[in-house]
Structures are given as C-alpha cells and as structure tokens.
Amino acid sequence: MKKIFFLISLLISFILITLSLSVGSVIIPIKNLLFLSPMDDYMKMIVFELRLPRIIMAFLVGMLLASSGNIVQIIFQNPLADPYIIGIASSATFGAVIAYLLKLPEFYYGVIAFISCMLSTLLIFKISKRGNKIEVNTLLIVGITLSSFLGGFTSFSIYMIGEDSFKITMWLMGYLGNASWRQILFLIFPLVFSSIYFYSKRNELDILMLGDEQAHSLGINISKLKFHLLIVSSFVVAYSVAFTGMIGFVGLIVPHIMRSIIGPLNSRLIPFVLIYGGVFLLFCDTVGRLILSPVEVPIGVITSILGAPFFLYLALKARRK
C-alpha cells in the first residue's frame, strides 16, 4: 500500500510540474517540455529562468512549512495547531523586514528572520515554563500576544519604507514571483537539515503523541525535546517566510490529511508530509497564476481561501467530539 501510494505521489508530482511548466501567459507545448520537439530560445528562457525555479521554490517552501506544521501539531497534540499560531511566522516576518530596511544582502533575510524567531521562541518558553513543565495554554496566549506586538512594528516599518511598500505588501501576502536559483540554494540547507533532524526524532515524536505523562514515564525529557523541536521549526519557518512571505495553512492542512491517510507513525508520515507539502503549494501557486491570468494572485491568498474552510471544519469536528 505504501509503495503504491508513493508511486501515485510521484505521478501526481510529475503531472503537476509538467502542467505548471506549460501554462501561463505564454503556453509551452507539452511535446517541447518532454523534448519530443526542440524549444526556441525564448521558450528555454521562460522554462529554465522563470518557471522551473518558481516550481522548485514552491516545492521546497511547501515541504518546509508542512514538515514544521506536523511537528507543531505533535508538540501541542492538537490538529488545529500551526507554526503561525505561536508567533513564529510573525517573528520571521519582523526579522526579514528589518533586514530589508538595513539593506542587507538577500542571504541575511533568512539569518535575521531566524534570529528573530529564536529570540521569540526563547522568550515564549521562558514565560510559559513552570518547573519542568510547559503550560501549553500560556504558551499559545504569549505567542499570539507577541505575534500581534511584532505585527504592529512590521506594519510601521512597511509604512516607513514609502514607495517600495507595495513590494513588501505583495511579499507579505505570499509571493513566489521572485524565485531564483540563488534562493533555491539558500533553502536547500534548512530543508535537508530539518528533514534529517525530524526523521531522526521519529520515535520520540511517536511517543509524544501518546501524551506528556506517558512520554515522561518512558524517560523522555519533554521540555528539552519540545524546545529543540520548536527551535528547528523556527529555523524552517524563518527561511520560508524570508524568501516567500506569509503563506498560511500549509502546515495545518497537509499534515492533517496525510495523518488520516498514512497513519500517525512518523517513520511513514514525515516523508509523505514533505512530498505533499510541495505538491499542495505548487498546486496553489499554479492556480494563483492562472485564475486571473496574466495577473497573479498571491499564493498566500489561495492557501487562505482553501485553508480557512478546512480550519473551520476541523474546529467543528473537534467540538462535536
């Protein structure tokens, strides 16, 4: 079953990538993409300099956000949890905007965003920790409060930018139009590092899903493990936000659907969350490019349109239970 689903996943990915390469303001025939017919120079430029980097970028960011969402849901033992819920994304946005204001090179957007995320996470954990236990309700309240606080500074910074504020506003709604091979290189390291780390902790993650008391009885240092997991999640989200802006609900939708199909075991769940995180975000970006073509709809708008009803469904389902 697992092998069949994996093959189906590869087929879906191939079809979606081919479709995304083909459609747009300029249609690239499928036969050219499959090298059944030679491409003109302008086709090569469109495919290899514009569309292919954007597709790879969508896949990478989708994988990062979905894997982070899976971890956050396990930490809070709540299917409604999302990296944005504890202020991680807002902290990253604040750091990236500061880097933009300081006119730092593009690489430092992710660095400053991560530093901002890490400081916020340390602050949230410090306030939320009582003894050796993390009070989840307090953590959520502090996270939401910090998110609102940093959001105010971010809005003020955008106001101070002046004429270029439209670019930042577009970025805040989630935008992949500036994707480049250089940005892809910046994102590969956090993806590889976080994927290896999360997978190495797959057994501890499975135990965490049984509850804090059960995990503690099995000798796991819960506070330390959750702290390290959230630090890596901050690292992941920081780089995603730094290069593509605020893209919500990916970390909510994909892990929940994959868990219902694959099951809760992280040895199987983590790889498929990564694959379908990329598939989902590429699908949303393709829809955003086509729905009002040649005008692009920011990808964050598409994920919000799809994610808000899904969130409401989960909330009503949890209430009924």
Side-chain angles (χ1 to χ4, degrees):
M1 178 65 181
K2 181 182 176 182
K3 291 182 179 179
I4 294 175
F5 189 61
F6 179 72
L7 292 175
I8 292 173
S9 303
L10 291 180
L11 179 61
I12 292 173
S13 301
F14 175 76
I15 293 173
L16 187 57
I17 290 171
T18 304
L19 177 65
S20 186
L21 282 172
S22 177
V23 299
S25 56
V26 176
I27 302 296
I28 307 294
I30 300 294
K31 63 180 181 180
N32 294 105
L33 295 174
L34 298 178
F35 300 104
L36 299 176
S37 179
M39 284 192 287
D40 296 330
D41 290 339
Y42 81 93
M43 287 185 180
K44 291 179 181 179
M45 186 193 70
I46 292 173
V47 170
F48 294 107
E49 298 300 326
L50 298 176
R51 292 184 184 172
L52 189 57
R54 182 167 182 155
I55 288 170
I56 296 175
M57 192 83 162
F59 244 92
L60 294 179
V61 173
M63 293 168 80
L64 288 168
L65 293 176
S67 63
S68 179
N70 179 49
I71 298 304
V72 170
Q73 288 177 12
I74 293 172
I75 291 173
F76 295 137
Q77 298 173 27
N78 189 335
L80 300 178
D82 183 88
Y84 288 71
I85 206 169
I86 60 170
I88 293 178
S90 296
S91 302
T93 303
F94 174 75
V97 169
I98 293 300
Y100 180 88
L101 287 173
L102 295 175
K103 298 182 179 180
L104 297 176
E106 191 176 59
F107 171 77
Y108 290 97
Y109 285 27
V111 174
I112 302 300
F114 172 63
I115 292 173
S116 178
C117 279
M118 188 171 63
L119 292 175
S120 299
T121 303
L122 288 170
L123 176 63
I124 292 170
F125 255 76
K126 183 70 174 177
I127 296 174
S128 305
K129 190 173 182 180
R130 177 173 293 183
N132 293 323
K133 186 178 180 181
I134 299 293
E135 295 185 349
V136 176
N137 290 335
T138 304
L139 186 141
L140 292 175
I141 292 171
V142 174
I144 292 171
T145 302
L146 184 63
S147 178
S148 300
F149 180 74
L150 292 177
F153 275 99
T154 301
S155 298
F156 177 73
S157 299
I158 293 172
Y159 174 77
M160 294 298 294
I161 289 173
E163 294 181 357
D164 291 335
S165 61
F166 176 76
K167 297 178 182 179
I168 301 297
T169 303
M170 188 76 173
W171 170 75
L172 285 175
M173 290 189 288
Y175 186 59
L176 291 171
N178 294 324
S180 64
W181 294 109
R182 178 184 174 87
Q183 291 182 347
I184 289 170
L185 290 176
F186 290 155
L187 285 174
I188 286 176
F189 171 71
L191 175 62
V192 173
F193 171 76
S194 62
S195 299
I196 293 174
Y197 178 77
F198 290 149
Y199 194 77
S200 70
K201 297 295 182 181
R202 59 192 182 279
N203 295 326
E204 288 94 328
L205 290 169
D206 290 339
I207 295 173
L208 273 182
M209 294 177 69
L210 300 175
D212 287 356
E213 292 183 5
Q214 184 73 16
H216 182 73
S217 67
L218 293 173
I220 293 179
N221 188 331
I222 301 169
S223 297
K224 183 178 179 180
L225 177 61
K226 287 186 175 181
F227 176 72
H228 288 166
L229 289 170
L230 276 177
I231 285 292
V232 177
S233 294
S234 299
F235 177 62
V236 164
V237 176
Y239 270 84
S240 300
V241 170
F243 293 113
T244 60
M246 300 281 280
I247 303 175
F249 293 105
V250 179
L252 172 71
I253 296 174
V254 177
H256 185 82
I257 293 177
M258 288 298 102
R259 198 174 289 116
S260 65
I261 296 173
I262 300 298
L265 290 178
N266 282 278
S267 59
R268 293 181 293 179
L269 180 63
I270 290 175
F272 283 105
V273 164
L274 286 167
I275 292 172
Y276 278 93
V279 168
F280 176 73
L281 200 62
L282 178 57
F283 169 77
C284 292
D285 185 51
T286 304
V287 171
R289 289 196 296 118
L290 292 179
I291 194 170
L292 294 177
S293 183
V295 177
E296 292 186 15
V297 178
I299 192 171
V301 174
I302 304 298
T303 58
S304 295
I305 291 172
L306 296 176
F310 188 82
F311 181 85
L312 181 61
Y313 161 75
L314 290 180
L316 293 176
K317 183 179 179 181
R319 183 180 179 184
R320 285 196 298 268
K321 288 183 178 181

